[in-house]
Amino acid sequence: MKNIAIIIPDITRPAGTERAVCNLANILADYEKYLPTVISVNSSAGKPYYPINEKVEIIHCCVVEKNKFLKRIKEFKQLKKVCAAKNFEVAIGVYPAINVFLPFIRRLKIKIAAEHLNYASAPLFPKIIRRLFYPFLDAVVLLTNNDAKHYGFHNNAVAIPNSLSFIPKKQSVLEKKVILAVGRLSYQKGFERLIEAVSLIKEKCGGWQVRIIGSGEDKEKLLRQIKETELENIITIMPPTDKIEEEYYNSSVYVMSSRWEGLPMVLIEAKSYGLPIVSFDCPEGPTDIIRDGIDGLLVKKDNVKLLSQAILKLIEDENLRKSFGHEAVKDIDKFKPEHVGALWDKLFNGLIDKRNSDVRKRK
């Protein structure tokens, strides 16, 4: 069996990248030839927030340090220590600040960076870091073909989407007057723009409720905004839940107001439950998931007025909601675990064959 390490800052957090890592580890665990290990660099203990196969080993490196420079040094040392104790065939890093260490860990045989946010949204310095260090990795995996175009500086940039976390046994009947939004309460997710959009149409909502599910640094600011715009009877902020499937099933519209994304898991999950989607056409991801006018509405990014109009359109048109929902479930095969697993397996096989060939040539 081939040992595969997936390296992440903290696997115990309830966020999209953490869910994607658990999904990938579960997919690999189903292959008899792979033995996945999740290396959680900054956590000290605890189980992943999301379900994970019992075959997957979790290693906590316990790196806690306020000084960023010292923190990176400690992370590097801990990763070297763990990798010295394990015979990893492949290592996958999912965070740029960790990925730059991989070329310098000699015990690792094949090294892959897996990006979960788009290149264009990164600040200048992280972009420079990628260009300097990623060429020394064996591959860079991006979530979308559009994002892969930014990696012309690497000779093996591959697009592999996130997989569905679960395959629903049934879809929403789209009859409950509930609009759902899920994500970290942060600047990136732009929930203040969703609140503003709802405030523009609040007189026309006709009993519809908006549920925002998440936690984060912007919670108090968002609660104040809800109160100031007199939306307490319409918008509710709820904590993360391990029963998110029930929230999808009990909703009739999904809205995403993000400023930028990678390939948002929530949109894939919402489609699998047959939810019509309204989303800003932000970079990257929504355009890879939503077929505008077929299973959802893509709105010009940052245009809150258009977002409110799109939400109102689905609120008022039940036939359109159900048509979009019907089409949504037809378009999820490319995100199913077996398809995503086959893409990763193909990548691993190619990289392992190339490495073995290079070794033979050196001999």
Side-chain angles (χ1 to χ4, degrees):
M1 297 182 72
K2 295 178 174 63
N3 289 333
I4 296 181
I6 308 174
I7 307 168
I8 187 170
D10 185 352
I11 194 60
T12 66
R13 294 176 65 244
T17 299
E18 287 71 22
R19 181 185 280 279
V21 166
C22 288
N23 290 350
L24 177 57
N26 291 338
I27 289 170
L28 296 179
D30 286 337
Y31 282 78
E32 291 185 0
K33 59 182 176 179
Y34 298 131
L35 186 62
T37 296
V38 173
I39 302 176
S40 186
V41 179
N42 301 134
S43 58
S44 57
K47 296 180 179 180
Y49 184 83
Y50 302 103
I52 197 160
N53 193 301
E54 60 182 10
K55 297 178 184 177
V56 180
E57 182 182 2
I58 308 294
I59 297 176
H60 298 278
C61 291
C62 314
V63 177
V64 179
E65 173 60 59
K66 292 183 179 180
N67 183 289
K68 286 187 177 182
F69 179 73
L70 292 177
K71 183 180 180 182
R72 299 301 174 226
I73 293 175
K74 290 181 179 181
E75 288 172 339
F76 178 58
K77 288 181 177 179
Q78 283 297 317
L79 282 175
K80 283 185 66 177
K81 182 179 178 180
V82 171
C83 293
K86 298 281 186 176
N87 186 31
F88 291 119
E89 187 81 14
V90 179
I92 305 166
V94 301
Y95 189 64
I98 291 174
N99 295 345
V100 298
F101 299 152
L102 301 185
F104 305 102
I105 302 178
R106 293 184 180 181
R107 292 295 186 102
L108 296 176
K109 298 175 182 178
I110 293 171
K111 307 160 186 180
I112 301 171
E115 290 286 326
H116 285 264
L117 285 178
N118 72 81
Y119 180 85
S121 67
L124 178 60
F125 183 68
K127 287 179 180 176
I128 293 172
I129 291 296
R130 287 173 173 86
R131 288 179 172 272
L132 287 175
F133 294 100
Y134 279 20
F136 297 99
L137 300 174
D138 297 285
V140 180
V141 174
L142 296 315
L143 295 174
T144 67
N145 287 312
N146 280 338
D147 201 27
K149 294 175 183 177
H150 296 295
Y151 287 80
F153 55 86
H154 199 285
N155 61 10
N156 194 15
V158 183
I160 302 178
N162 286 327
S163 76
L164 274 168
S165 305
F166 34 74
I167 306 297
K169 296 179 181 178
K170 55 185 178 179
Q171 277 74 46
S172 171
V173 294
L174 306 180
E175 292 180 354
K176 294 189 177 180
K177 293 185 174 183
V178 176
I179 297 168
L180 182 65
V182 181
R184 183 168 179 79
L185 307 181
S186 65
Y187 176 78
Q188 178 202 343
K189 302 300 181 180
F191 287 120
E192 79 282 357
R193 307 191 302 176
L194 171 57
I195 295 170
E196 182 182 350
V198 174
S199 73
L200 296 176
I201 58 171
K202 64 181 179 180
E203 305 300 333
K204 302 177 182 179
C205 283
W208 280 76
Q209 299 291 306
V210 178
R211 293 179 183 167
I212 299 174
I213 297 179
S215 60
E217 60 272 19
D218 284 355
K219 182 177 180 179
E220 293 305 317
K221 182 176 72 172
L222 295 174
L223 288 172
R224 285 196 301 271
Q225 183 184 4
I226 291 169
K227 185 176 181 179
E228 290 168 0
T229 50
E230 300 179 346
L231 293 172
E232 299 102 315
N233 294 329
I234 297 177
I235 301 178
T236 305
I237 296 179
M238 304 168 64
T241 174
D242 58 3
K243 297 181 179 178
I244 192 64
E245 298 96 326
E246 294 180 13
E247 297 295 337
Y248 288 123
Y249 180 70
N250 291 313
S251 301
S252 295
V253 177
Y254 190 91
V255 179
M256 195 181 80
S257 52
S258 296
R259 290 179 165 85
W260 69 86
E261 283 289 345
L263 187 74
M265 298 283 298
V266 288
L267 294 192
I268 300 171
E269 293 168 0
K271 282 191 71 167
S272 74
Y273 275 87
L275 293 184
I277 299 171
V278 176
S279 173
F280 281 131
D281 188 11
C282 67
E284 308 275 353
T287 190
D288 288 72
I289 300 171
I290 302 166
R291 294 175 295 168
D292 187 34
I294 298 175
D295 53 26
L297 297 172
L298 281 170
V299 175
K300 183 178 179 182
K301 69 184 182 104
D302 305 328
N303 193 318
V304 174
K305 184 177 181 180
L306 289 180
L307 185 70
S308 70
Q309 292 172 354
I311 294 170
L312 184 61
K313 187 174 184 178
L314 287 180
I315 284 177
E316 294 181 336
D317 193 335
E318 181 181 359
N319 290 333
L320 185 63
R321 288 200 308 274
K322 293 193 173 181
S323 172
F324 280 4
H326 180 71
E327 291 295 329
V329 295
K330 295 180 180 180
D331 190 47
I332 61 170
D333 284 353
K334 60 189 173 184
F335 303 115
K336 287 183 176 178
E338 57 268 28
H339 177 75
V340 174
L343 294 175
W344 278 102
D345 186 50
K346 180 181 178 180
L347 175 63
F348 295 156
N349 289 336
L351 293 175
I352 291 169
D353 288 346
K354 181 179 182 303
R355 181 179 182 277
N356 291 339
S357 175
D358 291 343
V359 170
R360 285 194 298 268
K361 287 178 182 178
R362 286 196 293 269
K363 290 180 177 179

